[in-house]
Amino acid sequence: MTPTKTKRKAKSGSTKWNPNIVVFACNWCSYAGADTAGVSRIQHEPHFRMIRVMCSGRIQPGFVLKAFERGADGVLVSGCHIGDCHYIFGNERALEQFEKTKNMVRLLGLEEGRLRLEWISAAEGARFAEVINDFTAQVRKLGPSPLNTGNGER
Amino acid sequence: MKTTSTPEIAEIADKARAWACYDCGKCTATCPIARVGGALSPRRQVLAANLGHREDIITNNALFACLTCGLCSSRCPAGVVYCELVLNLRQLAFHDGVEPECPHGGALQSMMRMMAKGKTKQDRLSWLTKDLKVQHKKGDVFYWTGCTMYYDAFFPDFNITTLDATRAAIRVLNRLGVTPVVSPDERCCGHDLLWNGDRANFELLARHNVKLVESSGAKTLVISCAECLRTWNIDYQPFFETSPPKIMHITEFMQENLDNLKFKANKEHTVTYQDPCRLGRHLGIFDPPRAILEALPDITLAEMPRSGKNSICCAGGTWSNCDRYAKHIQVDRLREAKSTGAEFLVTSCPKCQIHFACAMKDPNLHEEIEIPMRDIATLVADALAD
Ligand code: SF4
Ligand code: SF4
Ligand code: SF4
Ligand code: FES
């Protein structure tokens, strides 16, 4: 993973730094939500890599911490809305794991704004785009992660 | 970042005295992993090291199955230092891209590596309470907290607070008139990374931490965690530029100052004591914790059949070898602790508490293995006369 350090021209013509964001998405809702955004041709910020897991319950702190360790500027954890998990209670587990992750990230001294949890359904293509845009803007404001040493090494 | 030059296998075997092995097999007969059926034969590993079978040693699971508990070496008639062999072979393995399967998805390793990068300002001291007197930069005594604040955040469902021991240690130091340095810039000691084979990141941590303690001007460094202590006492030694401070376990410090500690009567308690492998066999600290338990009013120590240098370790060290054999060892050990009739299992390493607490979560065993745990410093702090 080679984070883009060079300032690239944004569409508007202004120069902007583009973050490296890692998005974890469950197969049944959030990933499908991203797909819906795609097939509906909704424009959104493209500076993220998506990692699909079967259920948000799989997203343990180790995943998120590894992303930060390797220099991710932001991490978005996403899954089905509560009550809609394909495996019934996976996202409740995800919530517990996310709490732990958040506490670890705080202790480690990374800004809270670099980590976010969102529930996005398969139908919510527009919401997916909105969340991505909003989160990208938020991370962009924070600037590069202090752990982003530019080469993704450990 | 695989930069450090890695010694070759012959050199590693030589340093660990593998050549002295006379194939008696005592080590394998002793090994707690082998006892519960794990495919680990230290004898065979020593032989393979002597023969220079690099590929075989590195890819067979035995290298990471070892708890590095040191029980085998304590019985070896030829003085083979098996842990030393494993430590260095794991570096070789890491160099070849072989790592242990880390429990908890490698979260703890990531945490350590982030601290090794060291570009952030940790929120490390928010657990300090008002009654604890500390200073942050310079002082005669440096108290090394270790990473208990991280463990409590990571294991919220284990019903233990490893920070209690950290706070208790400071309380006792305060009672002795010591206002220790507790630094917001402390980083993980890197013990686990070192034993996982990641020497490069370990060295980053070692350099930072040694400099931090050196710059505090402390003459004494007091440490609670057995793993941190081993790291400071042995693995950090080459990193000191000035002469190292006196490095003491909290129980050693308390023992030295026992005369100045006044205790109040207690409710009667029988306790048993778990020797952490790093504290006991690695560093030879068996007596100070026992002397303290002895000095506490109304506390009776009921030793487990396997204690002191024959103690069995908590089987979870270095976050790299947690499997069914580890669970087996933990459950056996907890049964052993209960068999003493003790009300509490006392230990002096936060990791022992974590791994045992984990074992106690077994849904089928409950009362059979459940026993409340205490860190020795909390017993002392609670017994302090007002
Ligand atoms: S106990 Fe020592 S001498 Fe005996 S087989 Fe093991 S390493 Fe060799
Ligand atoms: S150090 Fe402990 S676990 Fe490793 S081989 Fe020796 S006795 Fe077995
Ligand atoms: S015994 Fe220790 S390493 Fe294994 S799962 Fe439990 S806490 Fe993790
Ligand atoms: S399947 Fe989407 S959260 Fe479980």
Side-chain angles (χ1 to χ4, degrees):
Chain A
M1 176 164 54
T2 318
T4 337
K5 275 247 150 161
T6 41
K7 293 188 173 179
R8 254 193 266 131
K9 285 254 182 219
K11 264 211 178 122
S12 60
S14 63
T15 47
K16 265 191 199 165
W17 166 77
N18 293 322
N20 266 299
I21 291 173
V22 175
V23 179
F24 292 101
C26 81
N27 179 63
W28 303 101
C29 287
S30 313
Y31 192 83
D35 203 32
T36 307
V39 294
S40 328
R41 300 186 171 268
I42 304 172
Q43 296 290 315
H44 57 73
E45 293 271 15
H47 312 290
F48 63 92
R49 320 216 169 168
M50 192 171 245
I51 297 174
R52 176 169 57 155
V53 291
M54 286 315 284
C55 172
S56 67
R58 179 71 183 90
I59 307 163
Q60 62 195 78
F63 288 13
V64 176
L65 294 178
K66 178 75 124 208
F68 281 128
E69 177 209 326
R70 298 291 181 98
D73 300 306
V75 178
L76 177 68
V77 172
S78 61
C80 313
H81 288 274
I82 296 291
D84 290 349
C85 170
H86 197 74
Y87 308 98
I88 315 206
F89 54 78
N91 45 10
E92 289 163 27
R93 293 292 95 83
L95 201 57
E96 289 167 18
Q97 297 299 311
F98 187 78
E99 275 309 306
K100 289 206 298 201
T101 311
K102 226 172 56 186
N103 289 333
M104 293 291 277
V105 166
R106 178 180 53 76
L107 287 169
L108 283 160
L110 283 170
E111 301 92 330
E112 252 176 65
R114 295 192 186 278
L115 178 61
R116 195 190 273 196
L117 172 72
E118 291 280 0
W119 307 130
I120 302 167
S121 83
E124 294 175 322
R127 202 176 109 71
F128 175 83
E130 225 172 83
V131 166
I132 287 292
N133 287 340
D134 190 71
F135 189 56
T136 307
Q138 181 178 325
V139 174
R140 193 175 266 136
K141 220 186 212 154
L142 289 167
S145 159
L147 298 171
N148 180 346
T149 41
N151 47 12
E153 73 176 12
R154 52 183 194 192
Chain B
M1 209 196 282
K2 290 160 187 167
T3 47
T4 346
S5 73
T6 317
E8 283 313 307
I9 210 157
E11 204 182 315
I12 291 172
D14 190 48
K15 256 180 64 191
R17 290 178 50 90
W19 46 268
C21 169
Y22 43 67
D23 214 27
C24 70
K26 272 200 165 64
C27 48
T28 303
T30 311
C31 172
I33 293 277
R35 273 286 160 94
V36 296
L40 169 55
S41 165
R43 182 194 60 80
R44 207 186 302 133
Q45 292 282 96
V46 170
L47 182 63
N50 276 330
L51 296 173
H53 291 168
R54 177 167 178 149
E55 188 118 342
D56 176 40
I57 297 172
I58 285 172
T59 49
N60 83 30
N61 293 328
L63 185 56
F64 288 104
C66 170
L67 307 168
T68 65
C69 72
L71 190 59
C72 53
S73 302
S74 76
R75 305 271 167 85
C76 174
V80 176
V81 200
Y82 190 68
C83 288
E84 192 69 27
L85 185 71
V86 170
L87 178 67
N88 291 314
L89 287 174
R90 285 187 184 172
Q91 271 165 52
L92 211 61
F94 192 83
H95 180 268
D96 291 359
V98 180
E99 290 181 55
E101 268 177 51
C102 302
H104 310 289
L108 297 147
Q109 277 79 0
S110 279
M111 156 199 125
M112 296 169 210
R113 291 192 173 113
M114 281 152 94
M115 283 193 238
K117 278 193 176 184
K119 307 271 185 200
T120 57
K121 184 92 196 134
Q122 298 173 68
D123 175 15
R124 208 182 165 94
L125 299 184
S126 46
W127 49 271
L128 275 171
T129 45
K130 284 236 169 56
D131 55 314
L132 302 172
K133 276 187 287 167
V134 300
Q135 44 196 337
H136 295 312
K137 289 221 148 63
K138 287 197 182 293
D140 279 346
V141 177
F142 196 115
Y143 176 68
W144 187 259
T145 64
C147 292
T148 46
M149 61 299 291
Y150 284 94
Y151 295 135
D152 288 354
F154 197 74
F155 297 107
D157 49 345
F158 276 19
N159 300 324
I160 49 166
T161 315
T162 56
L163 270 171
D164 284 348
T166 317
R167 293 194 195 96
I170 298 175
R171 210 161 282 141
V172 176
L173 289 173
N174 285 171
R175 179 56 66 91
L176 288 167
V178 176
T179 305
V181 179
V182 170
S183 172
D185 297 319
E186 182 179 321
R187 291 185 197 157
C188 169
C189 71
H191 170 277
D192 303 322
L193 290 179
L194 178 67
W195 289 91
N196 289 174
D198 185 355
R199 175 111 203 147
N201 277 308
F202 164 75
E203 286 190 2
L204 288 174
L205 292 164
R207 289 212 174 79
H208 169 87
N209 287 328
V210 167
K211 227 203 233 139
L212 182 72
V213 169
E214 276 181 337
S215 70
S216 75
K219 295 186 193 63
T220 310
L221 175 62
V222 179
I223 300 176
S224 291
C225 171
E227 293 186 338
C228 297
L229 187 73
R230 131 108 217 182
T231 308
W232 273 97
N233 247 326
I234 299 175
D235 308 300
Y236 275 9
Q237 288 305 310
F239 296 92
F240 280 98
E241 278 171 17
T242 56
S243 73
K246 186 171 182 197
I247 300 169
M248 300 176 89
H249 188 246
I250 183 75
T251 57
E252 293 179 296
F253 193 86
M254 293 192 296
Q255 187 190 22
E256 220 179 79
N257 293 285
L258 260 182
D259 293 344
N260 300 322
L261 289 171
K262 298 274 164 291
F263 300 117
K264 59 187 177 203
N266 242 311
K267 270 196 246 128
E268 210 169 313
H269 286 305
T270 310
V271 303
T272 190
Y273 177 69
Q274 163 74 11
D275 288 274
C277 60
R278 264 54 184 160
L279 197 63
R281 278 187 296 268
H282 283 232
L283 296 169
I285 302 175
F286 298 107
D287 297 337
R290 292 182 167 82
I292 286 158
L293 291 174
E294 176 80 50
L296 289 176
D298 312 319
I299 296 257
T300 319
L301 173 62
E303 293 274 16
M304 286 186 260
R306 298 174 296 179
S307 71
K309 73 182 196 342
N310 298 325
S311 178
I312 296 296
C313 96
C314 71
T318 79
W319 306 113
S320 63
N321 34 22
C322 188
D323 54 14
R324 61 192 161 122
Y325 305 116
K327 281 286 156 266
H328 197 141
I329 292 169
Q330 288 156 357
V331 167
D332 281 357
R333 187 62 169 166
L334 288 169
R335 286 212 173 97
E336 190 175 347
K338 287 204 78 143
S339 76
T340 63
E343 290 162 71
F344 294 110
L345 172 58
V346 176
T347 178
S348 42
C349 176
K351 300 271 188 74
C352 295
Q353 280 202 50
I354 293 169
H355 302 302
F356 283 137
C358 180
M360 284 185 221
K361 285 174 73 80
D362 189 312
N364 299 315
L365 295 174
H366 287 313
E367 317 76 62
E368 253 181 79
I369 57 167
E370 266 170 10
I371 177 166
M373 285 181 288
R374 295 287 298 270
D375 183 277
I376 192 158
T378 65
L379 283 185
V380 175
D382 289 355
L384 289 175
D386 309 311

